[in-house]
Amino acid sequence: MTCHSQIAKTVASLKPIRDSYANGTPIQWNRVNSLPDYVYFNHQIHVAKGVGCETCHGRMDQETTAVRAKYFYMTTCTECHKDPGKYLRPQANIYDMGYTPSENQATLGPKLVKEYNILSPNQLTNCSICHR
């Protein structure tokens, strides 16, 4: 229930998701985004390190069903991995749609990189980070 424990908690169209969670029954998903099998991606580390849902998935609060907000090419990931500070948020704002930083992102980003102990761009762009 990660996102929907915070967003659109009472929307009628999400009742099957809430019921599934409550009953432990799986939902039949229609895949929106797909990465090649040789690409490793973990949502948990990105959320823990301050990447908000909206960064990759767009304004899901303005959609009635999941849509592809962007295509995920290698450059999509490497742009962020080369300069992660541009894309980070405080943990309190991870699920906020329409997030606007309280201070200039050029100032906030480097602070969050340090606070979240994010690897250097040299390490983040090592091929083995994503290709396993």
Side-chain angles (χ1 to χ4, degrees):
M1 288 296 294
T2 316
C3 294
H4 292 299
S5 67
Q6 306 289 316
I7 300 168
K9 295 189 281 191
T10 59
V11 172
S13 62
L14 297 178
K15 186 177 182 326
I17 294 173
R18 291 190 298 274
D19 291 348
S20 169
Y21 182 73
N23 301 327
T25 56
I27 291 177
Q28 194 71 27
W29 292 106
N30 293 321
R31 184 169 292 279
V32 175
N33 292 300
S34 183
L35 296 174
D37 289 342
Y38 56 84
V39 174
Y40 174 78
F41 179 83
N42 182 321
H43 274 100
Q44 185 178 5
I45 191 68
H46 288 83
V47 170
K49 297 292 185 175
V51 180
C53 305
E54 181 183 357
T55 303
C56 300
H57 298 290
R59 292 293 305 266
M60 293 306 295
D61 62 324
Q62 298 175 346
E63 303 296 338
T64 55
T65 60
V67 297
R68 181 178 293 153
K70 65 167 76 172
Y71 284 87
F72 295 106
Y73 300 110
M74 191 166 123
T75 55
T76 309
C77 301
T78 57
E79 282 177 18
C80 186
H81 278 219
K82 286 178 182 175
D83 190 4
K86 289 181 183 178
Y87 306 96
L88 303 180
R89 303 172 176 207
Q91 283 296 315
N93 303 110
I94 293 296
Y95 300 109
D96 293 356
M97 294 287 132
Y99 166 76
T100 303
S102 59
E103 60 184 294
N104 186 305
Q105 190 67 31
T107 304
L108 177 63
K111 288 181 195 175
L112 293 174
V113 165
K114 187 173 182 173
E115 180 182 328
Y116 298 148
N117 196 30
I118 293 176
L119 296 173
S120 73
N122 231 15
Q123 293 168 297
L124 279 177
T125 55
N126 181 310
C127 301
S128 66
I129 292 287
C130 305
H131 295 276
R132 298 184 179 182

